Amino acid sequence: MTFRLVTWNINSVRARVGLLAQLAQALNPDVICLQEIKVENDKFPTDAITEIGYGHQAVFGMKAYHGVATLSKQPLTKEVRHNWCGKDDARHIAVTVAGNVELHNLYIPAGGDVPDPALNDKFAHKLQFFEEQTAWWSEQKGRSRRILVGDLNVAPLETDVWSHKQLLKVVSHTPIEVEHYARMEAAHGWVDAVRHVIPPADTLYSWWSYRARDWRASNKGRRLDHVWVTPALKGAVKDAFVYDEARDWEKASDHAPVVVDLDL
DNA sequence: ATGGTTGTTTAACAA
């Protein structure tokens, strides 16, 4: 069966339950992975999301910042909340979907403005997060069917940013971040499912700043949101796209949903 | 070179 997976940094789930319903209506995904839900667990809009059709919810939230949630039409099992860098800051939740596929939903630290770990604690945290993930994934054995999605806050390719040259010293596209991202990807043999479908030579973005007057006209985007699969699932990937229409919705998130269809 | 916007929570802070 075709399994449709969406990952979306929603930038506050309470501010955009209506847009979540719009997304469900337009794309009818089997599973939706949200980041930056910005709400603690007991204030999560469980009932409203159940009414939209997603009664199975794995939520890892905190007050005001970060937070991830995985929503499903079918039951989710084996929910695990992971903490990294000695913080309890709600950036990673794992579940099992479609019987035997382990799905990891991540929100990697943005990293602040100054791309120097000696001057900026947030950037140091981002690099440490990648290092801990890399070590952990290199030790994970035994399960061939895995998917990792989320706002990884790195645009790795030159075609993942509006100007490679102008963003070399901008957090999200600096060489040290791209190296950390690549090491984490290699640590578990991950395959970039979106670039498996859309050629790496094509420009592709999933985030456009709120600060542009006209985001589509200026088109100064970055591809920060990703879907990775293990090699065993590479052949199952049938389609992938960025649903940039959602960036035009009223009171939109600054991120667009990323969609991947798999034959599971 | 600078400033531009949004959400959460109430003057910043994070993105």
Side-chain angles (χ1 to χ4, degrees), chain A residues 28 166 185 262:
Chain A
N28 194 30
Q166 287 179 255
E185 191 177 27
L262 303 107

Side-chain angles (χ1 to χ4, degrees), chain A residues 60 81-92 129 132:
Chain A
F60 186 11
R81 297 171 186 176
H82 295 279
N83 282 311
W84 301 93
C85 305
K87 297 174 191 284
D88 186 18
D89 59 352
R91 294 180 180 276
H92 181 180
F129 195 100
E132 291 190 11

Side-chain angles (χ1 to χ4, degrees), chain A residues 120-137:
Chain A
N120 174 7
D121 290 343
K122 293 196 200 101
F123 196 74
H125 178 213
K126 182 176 196 173
L127 297 184
Q128 189 189 344
F129 195 100
F130 273 106
E131 286 161 12
E132 291 190 11
Q133 285 276 330
T134 299
W136 193 72
W137 284 115

Side-chain angles (χ1 to χ4, degrees), chain A residues 72-114:
Chain A
S72 177
K73 296 192 167 196
Q74 300 296 324
L76 300 168
T77 59
K78 298 181 187 169
E79 173 180 333
V80 184
R81 297 171 186 176
H82 295 279
N83 282 311
W84 301 93
C85 305
K87 297 174 191 284
D88 186 18
D89 59 352
R91 294 180 180 276
H92 181 180
I93 194 163
V95 294
T96 295
V97 299
N100 68 347
V101 177
E102 201 177 280
L103 171 62
H104 292 261
N105 178 3
L106 269 80
Y107 176 54
I108 290 186
D113 289 330
V114 180

Side-chain angles (χ1 to χ4, degrees), chain A residues 56-250:
Chain A
H56 304 277
Q57 306 168 4
V59 182
F60 186 11
M62 61 179 279
K63 187 175 180 177
Y65 299 111
H66 325 312
V68 288
T70 300
L71 316 173
S72 177
K73 296 192 167 196
Q74 300 296 324
L76 300 168
T77 59
K78 298 181 187 169
E79 173 180 333
V80 184
R81 297 171 186 176
H82 295 279
N83 282 311
W84 301 93
C85 305
K87 297 174 191 284
D88 186 18
D89 59 352
R91 294 180 180 276
H92 181 180
I93 194 163
V95 294
T96 295
V97 299
N100 68 347
V101 177
E102 201 177 280
L103 171 62
H104 292 261
N105 178 3
L106 269 80
Y107 176 54
I108 290 186
D113 289 330
V114 180
D116 181 343
L119 300 176
N120 174 7
D121 290 343
K122 293 196 200 101
F123 196 74
H125 178 213
K126 182 176 196 173
L127 297 184
Q128 189 189 344
F129 195 100
F130 273 106
E131 286 161 12
E132 291 190 11
Q133 285 276 330
T134 299
W136 193 72
W137 284 115
S138 66
E139 290 162 8
Q140 299 302 302
K141 311 280 184 206
R143 179 182 289 272
S144 57
R145 291 159 71 85
R146 287 195 171 108
I147 302 174
L148 184 153
V149 309
D151 179 359
L152 306 187
N153 265 314
V154 172
L157 305 178
E158 295 190 16
T159 49
D160 291 334
V161 291
W162 64 274
S163 167
H164 171 61
K165 258 191 175 172
Q166 287 179 255
L167 289 176
L168 275 170
K169 291 178 178 171
V170 173
V171 172
S172 73
H173 192 63
T174 65
I176 190 169
E177 287 169 271
V178 173
E179 284 163 22
H180 276 65
Y181 171 102
R183 269 184 227 125
M184 177 179 159
E185 191 177 27
H188 200 57
W190 291 112
V191 174
D192 183 329
V194 175
R195 283 309 193 180
H196 178 61
V197 173
I198 301 169
D202 295 0
T203 59
L204 186 67
Y205 315 137
S206 66
W207 172 88
W208 294 263
S209 171
Y210 283 126
R211 295 173 189 176
R213 280 196 198 90
D214 181 338
W215 70 275
R216 209 187 270 282
S218 56
N219 198 24
K220 292 185 173 178
R222 306 177 201 171
R223 189 171 71 106
L224 304 177
D225 304 277
H226 300 277
V227 178
W228 294 351
V229 300
T230 46
L233 287 177
K234 182 176 174 180
V237 175
K238 296 303 171 194
D239 197 12
F241 58 96
V242 175
Y243 188 60
D244 61 359
E245 201 174 300
R247 185 61 183 79
D248 259 340
W249 289 345
E250 188 159 352

